[in-house]
Amino acid sequence: MAKSTEKYEAMFILNPSLTEEETAALVEKFKTLVESNGTLDEIEEMGKRKLAYEINYLTEGYYVLVKFTSGPEFPAELDRIFGITDGVIRSLITLRGE
């Protein structure tokens, strides 16, 4: 029988030109979204880092790592929301091994 919840990791990179308030608001938005759809295990704001390659003429981004547990349908929805949110330049959601 399949487990009803899985552990995931979501890494998203925000545009570094956002103000501190805008960055905090986006981090809070995704934190709330995760909490209302699953269990937030850990959130780590890694801050501004150099990107491995240029994205939309940007050379750095604000990295945030979110570890959470949720049902299998939530990551696709979270990915969709990352994709339509201004300020998010990249995101990746992966299944965490135990």
Side-chain angles (χ1 to χ4, degrees), residues 31-78:
K31 182 180 169 200
T32 303
L33 191 63
V34 167
E35 287 171 338
S36 58
N37 290 277
T39 307
L40 180 68
D41 300 325
E42 186 186 334
I43 186 162
E44 182 185 350
E45 293 188 49
M46 298 156 135
K48 284 187 184 173
R49 298 209 169 161
K50 194 160 174 45
L51 297 172
Y53 52 90
E54 212 174 84
I55 301 172
N56 305 335
Y57 306 105
L58 298 170
T59 56
E60 62 173 20
Y62 188 89
Y63 284 69
V64 182
L65 176 67
V66 181
K67 294 180 180 179
F68 64 96
T69 307
S70 77
E73 62 295 320
F74 176 60
E77 176 62 9
L78 181 60

Side-chain angles (χ1 to χ4, degrees), residues 1-97:
M1 180 165 146
K3 286 196 296 184
S4 58
T5 61
E6 293 280 3
K7 290 182 177 296
Y8 297 95
E9 238 177 38
M11 167 74 78
F12 60 97
I13 306 173
L14 299 176
N15 189 319
S17 62
L18 294 172
T19 65
E20 272 184 44
E21 291 77 22
E22 291 169 323
T23 299
L26 280 176
V27 170
E28 191 56 40
K29 170 187 171 166
F30 292 121
K31 182 180 169 200
T32 303
L33 191 63
V34 167
E35 287 171 338
S36 58
N37 290 277
T39 307
L40 180 68
D41 300 325
E42 186 186 334
I43 186 162
E44 182 185 350
E45 293 188 49
M46 298 156 135
K48 284 187 184 173
R49 298 209 169 161
K50 194 160 174 45
L51 297 172
Y53 52 90
E54 212 174 84
I55 301 172
N56 305 335
Y57 306 105
L58 298 170
T59 56
E60 62 173 20
Y62 188 89
Y63 284 69
V64 182
L65 176 67
V66 181
K67 294 180 180 179
F68 64 96
T69 307
S70 77
E73 62 295 320
F74 176 60
E77 176 62 9
L78 181 60
D79 197 45
R80 185 188 73 78
I81 295 167
F82 280 144
I84 60 172
T85 303
D86 284 344
V88 176
I89 54 177
R90 272 293 182 281
S91 65
L92 177 68
I93 301 171
T94 52
L95 202 52
R96 272 194 289 160

